[in-house]
Amino acid sequence: MIRIAQRSERFNAVDTGHGPFEEISRACLARFLPQLNKDELESTMAANGIRPTVRKGSNITKRIEIFDNLLTIGNTRAEILGDTAFKSKVPQLLFYNIQQHVVALEELLRDYLLGQHLLLVGNQGVGKNKLVDQLLYLLNRPREYIQLHRDTTVQALTLQQNVTDGVVYFEDSPLVRAAREGHVIIIDEADKAPTHVTCILKTLAECGEMILSDNRRIVPKTVMEQHYQHLGEEELHKIIPLHPEFRMFVLANRPGFPFLGNDFYSVLGDLFSVHAVDNPSFESEMELLKKYGPEIPLEFLERIAKAFGDLRTLADEGTISYPYSTREAVNIVKHLQKYPRDTLSEAIDNIFDFDVYNNELRKTVRRTLKKHKLEPTEGILLRKRYTDEGELKVEMIPISELPTLERSGTLNPLRYSDKKFTESDFGGPKHGKVDPNGAPHVGGNTWAGGSGGRDTAGLGGVGGPYRLDSGNPVFQVSDAVKQALSPEARKMARAMAQKAFDEKLLEIKMSKYEGNVYEEYLAPIRPQIAALRVILNSLQAKAKERKWIKHQTSGDMDDTKIIEGVVGEKNIYRRRQDENPEPGDPQQKPKRLMLVVDVSGSMYRFNGYDRRLDRMLECALLVMEAFEGFEEMFQYDIVGHSGDDYKLPIVEHGKLPRDNKERLDIMRIMHLHSQFCSSGDNTLEATDEAIKTLATQVEDFDESFVIMLSDSNLERYGIPPKELSKILNSHEDVKSFAIFIGSLGDQAERLKLQLPPGKAYVCLDTTKLPQILQRIFSETILA
């Protein structure tokens, strides 16, 4: 808050484009927050009257100018440092002043002038290093550089070992040299080092003090003058005065997949002025590509920029895992600029070569390139590699789009019937006559598939044996009319429904596989299956595991640290203990998912209204297809509930469907059950039972999830949202969520708002389900 206030006081008078909303979003690193956290942040700001600033003069081009030893970036000025003995440490680089980078440089300069240490977070290849190096070049500031990694130790941050003539010498690390000389230290890949190592930067950033591994101490000059003047010469030799111009510029990738870094921001982010560095906008990226490829046609550069923009959108949505950066786009342009006779396929080989091993990713990239007329005539995206008897082989395959099949059918609005029946009107349940013309029939008791009538199979009526959709408009009788049906008539209808269900079930088991029916459901969700498989590939281990912890001062001797022990280092031991897994560690136990699906009568009844049953079947197929091959990483069950029961076994994790025929049979059974089951709702009972079941097994799995898919028709059965909230939060070791895939009006949204934040989602479009599952999985990982 202090940092925001300082920036607002000093700089907002000359830049009306940054208000409280932008400052808070930047400080909280909102660009890379999980969507749930980002939504909560923005809703909290909106509730307090903090909204995005309407930018004035946004079309004004900002420039970088140097005049009379003053650097001006946009509206911000700074004095340029004179040459020193360390002139060789001032970075020199190729940098093009595209507009988005000029704006970013001005933001960095402002925090630099306020005396802040900087933290830049962004994906690989977005230009973090280039931005800080260019700023230091413009300011003529010398810099030191250190790159961290997974084996970086506390000692390595403060001391360096060098061998001269067979003798090991210790000298100050770049961090210590920068603190002493007043240079800028660039700490690169800060997310790769263990957080207990980078935590030693805390006191240095917060109060300018740091104890080194050789017992020396870095202290600010003011502290030294006040408290250390009485020390003798030998003691003073162990004190390193911190230069007032010392700065830390820390660079880190966003945490988690695919960069597999630690969350540096959550540990030390409050001590730094934070900047989210993103890929340039289309306009800025075009400006940059033109600089790197001045001889390449403009129309071709536009196609490259648009293709990479689409790939990044796919990464944000979770369809692909790697967010292709400006670095990759620039590399293609640089290749074609230098070697104009090379084909496009040869240029893109350097970027997409590795992706050929992932079939889903290869197809997605291929479709995206083809969309922007970047299809190669030969090359990596046209080759399928495989291993045959231990030999790597390459098969040429043609570029062709995957077939797509649009779902047919029209949606019927909800209509109500004013028809009234008395108990004497009912003559007993029956299937009814079949109209060969398929004409609509409303309010009678003769035709099968009618609506708002009595006794016959249909929709919206009362007294019929089971539901039957003829595709015609549906008229719904009132609940009061339904009460007129006698218990005996209900019992007869239920018996007839059960008999019909058993007969249909036998038909399904005896039926042949119908590929066209399966393809009708599969084709629209094929991209979502690929997206969900990418998400499953990216999931990380969460459970603690027993492992060797290195760099300890006691325990078993580490054989790899013998030389360090000889020269006097103390942290040369290792010991076993339970530790949270590092990013990228393999899972020792599978994750567990129980998918609770709604196969109640309302799913069939209102399918013509909003296709909720179709979506439920697509969701089940999505899980069955996407999870195939991940059995060792993820075990899943699909359990159904309806008015008949609250734990209908649909798919058991030990008996997964083996082929398309079995998957199609499962979908048919779900559809059949929804048509013939009794009215009623067991949502709460089914969800509670699933959570209790997994709660008894948490020790056997890396993580446990219960995801309940249902329509939002709870209020019809008098189920209060607080009861569902209580169940979703009933066990802390089982992550439980509700996804509503059907809604009458705004019913689903209203229900979502009454449930705990992050526990409920509305999905009225199956294509959005992978993104919802990604949010569920990723937000629990980052929690």
Side-chain angles (χ1 to χ4, degrees):
M1 291 178 64
I2 293 174
R3 194 177 293 122
I4 291 173
Q6 289 175 333
R7 283 174 57 89
S8 300
E9 179 186 20
R10 182 163 179 179
F11 298 114
N12 269 24
V14 293
D15 185 357
T16 57
H18 272 267
F21 182 92
E22 289 75 22
E23 291 291 346
I24 294 174
S25 297
R26 186 170 72 89
C28 295
L29 204 61
R31 170 64 181 86
F32 299 115
L33 281 176
Q35 191 61 44
L36 170 64
N37 305 62
K38 185 176 181 180
D39 291 345
E40 286 297 309
L41 173 64
E42 292 182 355
S43 63
T44 301
M45 287 194 287
N48 288 275
I50 301 175
R51 293 179 173 80
T53 304
V54 178
R55 295 181 179 272
K56 299 177 181 178
S58 57
N59 295 325
I60 298 176
T61 300
K62 297 197 173 189
R63 303 183 183 279
I64 298 178
E65 298 176 346
I66 296 177
F67 180 75
D68 197 19
N69 209 41
L70 282 177
L71 167 66
T72 303
I73 304 179
N75 297 312
T76 308
R77 290 187 176 184
E79 186 176 348
I80 299 175
L81 183 70
D83 290 342
T84 67
F86 300 100
K87 176 69 174 176
S88 62
K89 292 190 175 183
V90 176
Q92 305 281 334
L93 71 157
L94 175 65
F95 187 90
Y96 293 117
N97 293 330
I98 65 173
Q99 191 59 204
Q100 188 164 323
H101 285 170
V102 173
V103 172
L105 285 172
E106 183 178 19
E107 295 299 318
L108 296 175
L109 179 60
R110 289 176 173 179
D111 285 330
Y112 169 84
L113 293 174
L114 290 172
Q116 302 290 337
H117 301 293
L118 307 184
L119 170 60
L120 282 70
V121 180
N123 297 329
Q124 290 180 359
V126 296
K128 300 186 293 293
N129 292 76
K130 283 221 167 193
L131 283 170
V132 294
D133 279 351
Q134 178 67 3
L135 179 63
L136 297 178
Y137 165 74
L138 294 171
L139 291 170
N140 201 33
R141 283 294 308 269
R143 69 150 166 88
E144 302 282 351
Y145 179 88
I146 186 171
Q147 188 178 63
L148 307 188
H149 48 80
R150 300 202 183 281
D151 293 324
T152 299
T153 63
V154 172
Q155 180 165 340
L157 270 180
T158 57
L159 287 176
Q160 282 187 330
Q161 298 178 8
N162 286 321
V163 179
T164 304
D165 297 330
V167 179
V168 178
Y169 290 94
F170 289 93
E171 61 183 27
D172 288 337
S173 70
L175 175 64
V176 176
R177 291 199 301 268
R180 183 179 60 242
E181 302 295 341
H183 298 166
V184 174
I185 176 66
I186 294 181
I187 303 176
D188 201 4
E189 304 286 359
D191 57 301
K192 298 299 186 290
T195 52
H196 71 268
V197 173
T198 52
C199 274
I200 72 165
L201 301 174
K202 178 178 175 62
T203 55
L204 186 61
E206 195 167 28
C207 56
E209 296 191 21
M210 184 179 188
I211 299 176
L212 309 184
S213 57
D214 59 0
N215 291 324
R216 290 184 297 163
R217 180 189 296 265
I218 298 176
V219 297
K221 283 188 176 180
T222 54
V223 174
M224 186 175 179
E225 292 171 356
Q226 293 176 8
H227 301 287
Y228 292 94
Q229 292 300 318
H230 64 282
L231 298 179
E233 184 175 345
E234 184 176 348
E235 288 79 9
L236 281 174
H237 185 69
K238 295 180 180 180
I239 305 299
I240 301 175
L242 179 68
H243 198 287
E245 295 301 319
F246 168 72
R247 295 284 192 282
M248 282 189 285
F249 288 6
V250 179
L251 314 181
N253 296 310
R254 72 180 191 197
F257 194 85
F259 307 115
L260 303 180
N262 293 305
D263 193 357
F264 181 91
Y265 170 78
S266 67
V267 179
L268 295 174
D270 60 317
L271 302 175
F272 294 82
S273 181
V274 184
H275 296 261
V277 182
D278 215 341
N279 285 294
S281 63
F282 173 76
E283 293 77 14
S284 289
E285 189 161 40
M286 276 298 300
E287 191 180 351
L288 185 64
L289 295 182
K290 285 189 286 186
K291 299 286 188 180
Y292 280 103
E295 298 175 10
I296 298 177
L298 181 63
E299 183 264 344
F300 187 78
L301 296 178
E302 288 179 349
R303 299 208 309 264
I304 293 178
K306 289 178 180 178
F308 273 82
D310 285 355
L311 289 172
R312 292 167 198 148
T313 300
L314 291 173
D316 289 339
E317 294 174 348
T319 305
I320 61 177
S321 59
Y322 184 78
Y324 293 95
S325 67
T326 298
R327 179 190 295 164
E328 282 88 17
V330 166
N331 284 340
I332 292 178
V333 173
K334 288 168 67 177
H335 184 115
L336 295 174
Q337 174 68 23
K338 189 167 185 178
Y339 305 104
R341 294 185 179 180
D342 282 1
T343 64
L344 173 64
S345 61
E346 292 174 297
I348 65 177
D349 275 0
N350 294 330
I351 308 303
F352 301 109
D353 198 20
F354 185 76
D355 300 331
V356 75
Y357 295 99
N358 185 319
N359 192 47
E360 289 86 3
L361 179 57
R362 176 173 57 82
K363 290 178 181 178
T364 301
V365 171
R366 187 177 64 186
R367 284 196 301 268
T368 305
L369 293 178
K370 184 177 180 180
K371 173 184 174 183
H372 297 284
K373 301 179 182 179
L374 294 176
E375 48 185 306
T377 56
E378 58 181 80
I380 202 66
L381 294 181
L382 291 173
R383 298 200 295 268
K384 181 178 181 181
R385 298 178 180 177
Y386 61 97
T387 303
D388 183 14
E389 297 181 353
E391 181 181 356
L392 182 65
K393 295 187 177 181
V394 179
E395 175 187 354
M396 298 296 293
I397 58 175
I399 276 196
S400 60
E401 284 293 292
L402 290 172
T404 58
L405 179 62
E406 295 295 329
R407 299 294 297 275
S408 60
T410 57
L411 298 180
N412 293 318
L414 192 61
R415 299 179 175 91
Y416 294 95
S417 170
D418 57 1
K419 197 80 174 179
K420 293 181 172 57
F421 303 112
T422 63
E423 187 173 346
S424 61
D425 292 328
F426 297 103
K430 59 186 178 182
H431 181 78
K433 295 181 180 181
V434 177
D435 187 338
N437 299 318
H441 299 278
V442 180
N445 69 336
T446 302
W447 301 99
S451 175
R454 66 186 191 280
D455 298 342
T456 59
L459 291 178
V462 60
Y466 40 78
R467 302 165 194 88
L468 182 63
D469 189 354
S470 62
N472 291 306
V474 178
F475 291 83
Q476 179 73 48
V477 300
S478 67
D479 289 343
V481 172
K482 290 187 176 185
Q483 297 303 318
L485 187 65
S486 68
E488 292 77 13
R490 294 178 189 274
K491 187 175 181 180
M492 290 173 59
R494 183 69 202 121
M496 187 173 177
Q498 185 63 48
K499 181 181 178 182
F501 176 76
D502 292 340
E503 292 173 354
K504 294 287 186 181
L505 193 60
L506 183 60
E507 289 179 16
I508 289 176
K509 293 180 179 178
M510 300 296 292
S511 66
K512 294 181 179 180
Y513 170 61
E514 298 180 55
N516 59 328
V517 176
Y518 190 77
E519 181 66 23
E520 183 181 349
Y521 280 94
L522 179 65
I525 62 171
R526 197 176 259 119
Q528 284 66 48
I529 292 170
L532 184 52
R533 292 180 68 84
V534 170
I535 294 167
L536 295 176
N537 262 317
S538 70
L539 293 181
Q540 302 176 32
K542 195 71 180 288
K544 289 187 176 182
E545 57 187 84
R546 196 82 172 162
K547 60 169 63 175
W548 284 106
I549 307 301
K550 295 186 175 184
H551 316 304
Q552 304 298 302
T553 56
S554 62
D556 296 340
M557 177 69 186
D558 187 347
D559 294 341
T560 65
K561 307 270 288 186
I562 294 176
I563 294 178
E564 286 83 351
V566 170
V567 298
E569 191 170 325
K570 296 179 180 179
N571 54 343
I572 59 173
Y573 301 93
R574 61 177 186 163
R575 64 172 182 263
R576 299 275 289 180
Q577 65 184 47
D578 289 331
E579 284 287 311
N580 289 321
E582 293 289 333
D585 279 358
Q587 288 179 205
Q588 303 300 314
K589 303 174 183 177
K591 297 180 187 292
R592 186 77 159 87
L593 168 66
M594 190 167 285
L595 191 69
V596 180
V597 298
D598 188 345
V599 287
S600 64
S602 63
M603 299 297 291
Y604 187 96
R605 161 63 185 88
F606 294 109
N607 190 49
Y609 174 73
D610 59 7
R611 292 287 183 260
R612 62 183 64 183
L613 182 56
D614 286 343
R615 278 198 298 278
M616 182 66 72
L617 298 178
E618 287 177 344
C619 290
L621 180 59
L622 175 66
V623 169
M624 290 188 288
E625 282 276 358
F627 279 69
E628 186 177 20
F630 289 93
E631 290 80 5
E632 294 185 2
M633 292 178 56
F634 228 123
Q635 296 183 7
Y636 75 92
D637 295 76
I638 300 180
V639 179
H641 68 87
S642 68
D644 287 345
D645 200 352
Y646 62 89
K647 49 179 180 180
L648 301 164
I650 295 176
V651 175
E652 298 180 62
H653 70 270
K655 302 176 183 178
L656 301 180
R658 295 167 294 181
D659 52 35
N660 292 353
K661 169 68 166 61
E662 292 189 2
R663 285 188 280 269
L664 181 59
D665 286 351
I666 288 170
M667 295 164 62
R668 281 175 161 165
I669 292 171
M670 292 173 62
H671 187 280
L672 198 66
H673 186 91
S674 182
Q675 181 180 3
F676 289 93
C677 68
S678 303
S679 297
D681 190 281
N682 276 305
T683 300
L684 298 189
E685 294 82 356
T687 308
D688 187 48
E689 176 67 17
I691 294 172
K692 287 178 178 177
T693 299
L694 294 194
T696 64
Q697 308 169 7
V698 291
E699 296 298 326
D700 299 328
F701 298 98
D702 185 77
E703 280 185 289
S704 296
F705 298 89
V706 168
I707 298 178
M708 182 267 288
L709 297 175
S710 179
D711 61 16
S712 50
N713 207 20
L714 301 185
E715 62 185 11
R716 173 177 173 82
Y717 300 99
I719 301 175
K722 65 179 181 180
E723 291 298 321
L724 180 57
S725 300
K726 182 179 178 181
I727 291 174
L728 292 175
N729 287 323
S730 61
H731 201 286
E732 62 180 3
D733 291 327
V734 179
K735 285 85 172 179
S736 307
F737 306 88
I739 302 177
F740 300 115
I741 64 172
S743 179
L744 298 177
D746 64 346
Q747 193 178 53
E749 287 292 345
R750 287 189 284 108
L751 180 56
K752 173 188 170 183
L753 293 175
Q754 297 179 69
L755 296 176
K759 288 288 187 179
Y761 299 87
V762 176
C763 180
L764 303 182
D765 180 358
T766 313
T767 62
K768 303 300 181 185
L769 186 62
Q771 284 73 51
I772 292 176
L773 293 178
Q774 182 191 37
R775 288 176 61 175
I776 288 173
F777 293 144
S778 64
E779 286 164 13
T780 57
I781 287 171
L782 294 174

